[in-house]
Structure formats: structure tokens, C-alpha cells
Amino acid sequence: MNDLLSREKLIAFETDIADCFNAAMIKAPVHLYHGNELQMIRIFKRVQPADWVFCSWRSHYQCLLKGVPGDQLKQDILDGRSISLCYPEYNIFSSAIVGGNIPIATGMALDIKRKGGVSHVWCFVGDMTSETGTFYENHKYAVLHDLPVTYIIEDNGKSVCTETLRVWNLEKLTYSKKGVKKIICYKYKTRYPHAGAGKRIQF
Ligand SMILES: Cc1ncc(C[n+]2csc(CCOP(=O)(O)OP(=O)(O)O)c2C)c(N)n1
Ligand SMILES: [Mg+2]
């Protein structure tokens, strides 16, 4: 991980992006985090430079922690690429398609295992994404083949404005139970809406 990054620095980067968005400087959606910085830093203490990271539409914290320079990241977000940030040179890729990153992450882990590699795959998904069929199949395959992958479920309780547990009539997320292999699940309460930074922007 990028050792120079603290909770305060992550929040400062994100607040700057929120301000840019609210000042109509970004002509594309942004999806912000807030509230999960310590969990993210804890996870990235385990992520090695040669590891692979697969994310969703919300991936600026992962990019910073994987080593992507803040200036480059900010410019790409200003250029409208926030939902699909990909940096092959840092082994980090994002997909704006719900579940789109999961089979790619699992396939990468399969490739590493077949070639006898030592790197690990980290796949970030939202709480609703973790309840999809593709997540079930990929997790099952990864556990039964003991692939070098960890799926991180980032539980903000919502899919856009819809409550995930209510949709499925669940008391707890399916993969939040203790002892499920190859899963890290953490909760956070964001201060931002699903997309944007709170101000309606029109061009
Ligand atoms: C295949 C597909 N369907 C719908 C969408 C629209 N969409 C974007 S984010 C999102 C919510 C997903 O919720 P969750 O997995 O909990 O992620 P969060 O945004 O809360 O981190 C939806 C439905 C999409 N991007 N891709
Ligand atoms: Mg969610």
C-alpha cells in the first residue's frame, strides 16, 4: 500500500472531488465514499504491489491506496472517467457494470493459480452486488478451487436508493456471516448520495 496515505488525506482528496463536482467542473457522474477510510486502509495494508485490484464505479480510494498518483487520478476524474478508472500499470481496474468486475477477478485468480503465481486478487463489490447470481457462482468457484482471491463487500445498506435487505427479505447480507471463506465484509455510512456530491448540476 501507499504508506503516505492517511484517513485525512483520503478524505481531503474526496472532498476536493466533491467540491469540483458541485462547482460543475466534472461532466460525468462521480460516486463518493466517506466513512470507510480506516477499513480501506486496513485492507490495503495486506495488498501487495503485484496484487490485482478489481473495483466498481466507486474506486478512487482503492486507486490512491494502490499507488496511483493523486494528480493523475484527479485529472482522470475531471475528464469524466470516475466510473471506469483503469490503471494497468498499477494492476487496478474498475467496471461500472454491476457484477462486471467479479468474473474478471475470479478469472485472474484462476490464471495466477494455474501459473503457480504468488500474487493475490482483491475484488470490491457493493452490498447489492454481493446478492447477485454472478457473485454466488464466482464465490462458489473460488472457494471450491481455492483460488487466491478475496471479495470485499462494502455494505452501505443501499443500491442507489433501494434498501438491499428489504429487497431480499433478509435480516443480514448472505455473505456477512462469520466464517464464510474468501470474504471481507464491512459496513459504512456515507454522507454522500449514491452519485454526485449533493448539489444538482446542470450544464
Ligand atoms: C448491470 C447494471 N445494472 C444496473 C446498474 C445501475 N447501478 C449502478 S450502481 C447500482 C447500485 C449497486 O448497489 P451496490 O452493489 O450496493 O453498490 P453501491 O453503489 O452501494 O456501492 C446500480 C443498480 C449498473 N451499473 N449495471
Ligand atoms: Mg450499496
Side-chain angles (χ1 to χ4, degrees), residues 57-58 96-98 126-129 156 158-160 194:
W57 41 91
R58 196 189 311 283
I97 299 168
V98 168
D127 46 304
M128 183 60 95
T129 308
N156 58 10
K158 303 237 181 236
S159 167
V160 188
H194 170 74

Side-chain angles (χ1 to χ4, degrees), residues 180-195:
V180 186
K181 290 181 183 163
K182 301 189 188 295
I183 299 275
I184 293 172
C185 185
Y186 76 83
K187 279 183 195 281
Y188 73 105
K189 206 167 166 40
T190 183
R191 68 178 175 198
Y192 294 109
H194 170 74

Side-chain angles (χ1 to χ4, degrees), residues 95-142:
S95 169
I97 299 168
V98 168
N101 58 347
I102 305 171
I104 302 172
T106 308
M108 178 59 74
L110 179 60
D111 184 65
I112 293 167
K113 180 157 186 175
R114 281 184 177 163
K115 291 179 177 156
V118 290
S119 54
H120 194 83
V121 179
W122 305 84
C123 179
F124 289 82
V125 298
D127 46 304
M128 183 60 95
T129 308
S130 77
E131 295 292 341
T132 61
T134 187
F135 187 87
Y136 169 80
E137 292 176 358
N138 277 269
H139 177 259
K140 179 169 74 170
Y141 192 91

Side-chain angles (χ1 to χ4, degrees), residues 39-52:
Q39 290 100 319
M40 205 61 112
I41 288 169
R42 199 173 307 135
I43 291 163
F44 270 83
K45 284 197 169 140
R46 297 168 56 190
V47 177
Q48 303 299 316
D51 286 356
W52 298 80

Side-chain angles (χ1 to χ4, degrees), residues 36-118:
N36 66 335
E37 293 78 16
L38 292 177
Q39 290 100 319
M40 205 61 112
I41 288 169
R42 199 173 307 135
I43 291 163
F44 270 83
K45 284 197 169 140
R46 297 168 56 190
V47 177
Q48 303 299 316
D51 286 356
W52 298 80
V53 177
F54 293 90
C55 307
S56 68
W57 41 91
R58 196 189 311 283
S59 65
H60 49 290
Y61 279 173
Q62 292 91 328
C63 290
L64 289 171
L65 289 161
K66 193 72 175 58
V68 178
D71 292 351
Q72 187 182 353
L73 186 64
K74 180 177 174 184
Q75 191 56 54
D76 287 338
I77 294 172
L78 290 175
D79 290 344
R81 286 197 282 278
S82 178
I83 64 172
S84 55
L85 295 166
C86 291
Y87 298 96
E89 62 277 34
Y90 294 96
N91 287 3
I92 182 162
F93 298 88
S94 309
S95 169
I97 299 168
V98 168
N101 58 347
I102 305 171
I104 302 172
T106 308
M108 178 59 74
L110 179 60
D111 184 65
I112 293 167
K113 180 157 186 175
R114 281 184 177 163
K115 291 179 177 156
V118 290

